[in-house]
Amino acid sequence: MVAAVRVHKAGGPDVLTYEDITVPPPGPGQIRVKQHAVGVNFVDVYFRNGLYPPPGGLPFVAGNEAAGEVAAVGSGVSDFKSGERVAYVQGPGCYTAERNVPADRVVKLPANISYEQAAAMMLKGLTAEYLLRRTFKVEKGMNVLMHAAAGGVGLILCQWANHLGANVIGTVGSKDKAEVARANGCHHTILYREEDFVARVKDITGRKLCDVVYDGIGKDTFPASLDCIRPLGMFVSFGSASGPIEAFNINLLQAKGSLFATRPTLNTYGAKRADLLSMAAELFAVVGSGAVKLPVIQKYPLRDAAKAHRDLESRATTGSLILIP
Ligand SMILES: NC(=O)c1ccc[n+]([C@@H]2O[C@H](COP(=O)([O-])OP(=O)(O)OC[C@H]3O[C@@H](n4cnc5c(N)ncnc54)[C@H](OP(=O)(O)O)[C@@H]3O)[C@@H](O)[C@H]2O)c1
């Protein structure tokens, strides 16, 4: 038996139940990972509260990313051996001390990346990689707007976009978060709960507006985000921390300047193993070089997963949260 946090019915943080589960030996093509650190992400909230249905139904083990060592390998697995340091995004199923994972979803960790760093950045950092390098290629001199700039994905996005030479504008929920964002690559911060962020973006960019807006907030920042984008620019809606964006008339994109809009997911961008490996290599390179740091890693014991969710949803956190089994 191993310790795990399961969801038996959709609901608030209290439905996260700490209990023992049985993990069978790894099946064909799987590896068993003894987990040292587990990432907490907003997508864990969507699965817990029922916004996203769990693929295998109820009950399910929560969580979508983790890092640890290979404890055993199933038949047909030749790329991994016991004791190797690994990390992966594969969910749900990660809030546990041990689990089986398809080997083709797992990457080996370089020696200079710790388990805690890996758990804090696999899902968020791979997301930042595809958002900045694949969905829209951010280049030197571009104006970019990141919402929730001091959040887990936000802090990685800001540092990486800064490293690419962009003028980074970030929205944040408090003055403390503004300081954190500015210390992590954000050139300009906007307190979007108090200030009109469209007016501030116009001001900051001299009315040129942004080449791209990265929006993980959803409901509360739509459609105002579109007014921050230059003609032919890109709206990237990659999350719904405030709730999903409601159906809208596509002619809105014409009215706002022939905009492009996309709703991407890491699952699609990382679906092919070759893409997953190249995304991870790029992520490990920017973290390894020090261009992207993971300055705020808030740790909780696995049994306190409900507290981690409460904190994340209350907008009290900055950077990444991890659970230690
Ligand atoms: N599509 C993908 O592939 C993908 C992958 C990873 C993450 N995501 C998305 O990226 C976003 C950020 O994820 P994260 O895990 O790094 O979380 P996070 O940014 O650390 O936390 C969410 C932040 O959103 C802001 N927020 C604004 N309105 C909110 C509300 N009503 N309730 C809660 N928070 C609100 C808060 O920052 P302020 O206080 O500064 O407003 C809060 O700290 C999420 O939408 C997530 O779903 C998408």
Side-chain angles (χ1 to χ4, degrees):
M1 301 288 268
V2 299
V5 173
R6 286 207 291 183
V7 174
H8 292 264
K9 60 172 187 195
D14 290 342
V15 303
L16 293 167
T17 311
Y18 184 72
E19 58 197 3
D20 284 338
I21 60 164
T22 308
V23 181
Q30 291 185 328
I31 61 177
R32 185 172 177 126
V33 180
K34 182 175 180 327
Q35 314 219 109
H36 288 267
V38 177
V40 177
N41 290 279
F42 229 89
V43 67
D44 307 354
V45 172
Y46 307 147
F47 277 113
R48 191 209 68 217
N49 67 20
L51 180 65
Y52 291 178
L58 293 165
F60 66 95
V61 176
N64 292 272
E65 74 181 322
E69 63 192 280
V70 178
V73 300
S75 63
V77 176
S78 53
D79 297 354
F80 295 94
K81 55 180 189 301
S82 287
E84 277 184 318
R85 302 172 71 252
V86 295
Y88 66 89
V89 176
Q90 172 75 8
C94 295
Y95 288 9
T96 173
E98 291 195 23
R99 77 168 288 196
N100 296 323
V101 196
D104 66 357
R105 296 287 84 205
V106 177
V107 300
K108 293 182 191 184
L109 272 184
N112 62 346
I113 308 275
S114 70
Y115 291 128
E116 293 187 0
Q117 283 178 311
M121 76 174 187
M122 283 306 288
L123 196 153
K124 299 173 188 76
L126 292 173
T127 298
E129 196 279 345
Y130 84 73
L131 290 175
L132 297 171
R133 311 309 297 138
R134 295 164 200 252
T135 305
F136 182 90
K137 257 186 172 304
V138 168
E139 284 165 17
K140 194 170 163 55
M142 285 183 169
N143 291 314
V144 303
L145 177 66
M146 317 293 189
H147 285 305
V153 178
L155 282 187
I156 299 176
L157 279 177
C158 289
Q159 294 179 77
W160 202 330
N162 179 308
H163 174 62
L164 292 168
N167 181 36
V168 183
I169 307 167
T171 60
V172 286
S174 70
K175 289 190 174 129
D176 290 349
K177 288 191 178 190
E179 258 179 55
V180 174
R182 280 198 299 271
N184 287 279
C186 210
H187 297 102
H188 311 272
T189 49
I190 302 171
L191 296 170
Y192 60 172
R193 288 159 96 167
E194 297 163 25
E195 300 179 288
D196 174 346
F197 71 81
V198 177
R200 287 288 322 280
V201 166
K202 285 183 179 158
D203 233 29
I204 292 165
T205 61
R207 304 192 81 79
K208 281 165 76 182
L209 304 179
C210 294
D211 298 273
V212 59
V213 171
Y214 292 107
D215 189 335
I217 303 303
K219 193 171 180 193
D220 287 359
T221 43
F222 190 84
S225 284
L226 301 182
D227 292 320
C228 299
I229 306 173
R230 59 142 168 94
L232 303 177
M234 176 73 91
F235 175 59
V236 183
S237 169
F238 69 99
S240 329
S242 69
I245 294 174
E246 306 213 330
F248 66 94
N249 185 333
I250 199 163
N251 288 344
L252 191 60
L253 300 178
Q254 169 221 345
K256 301 288 181 187
S258 304
L259 303 182
F260 295 84
T262 182
R263 197 345 182 157
T265 73
L266 175 58
N267 283 347
T268 324
Y269 279 86
K272 292 187 189 134
R273 177 135 183 93
D275 290 331
L276 174 66
L277 292 178
S278 72
M279 289 160 73
E282 248 207 280
L283 173 63
F284 295 154
V286 288
V287 173
S289 73
V292 171
K293 298 187 179 66
L294 297 159
V296 190
I297 301 179
Q298 297 173 65
K299 284 191 235 180
Y300 301 76
L302 179 63
R303 65 170 63 242
D304 290 345
K307 174 162 172 36
H309 276 223
R310 250 179 243 116
D311 291 349
L312 183 64
E313 286 181 272
S314 73
R315 307 176 68 163
T317 62
T318 53
S320 298
L321 282 60
I322 60 171
L323 304 172
I324 305 297

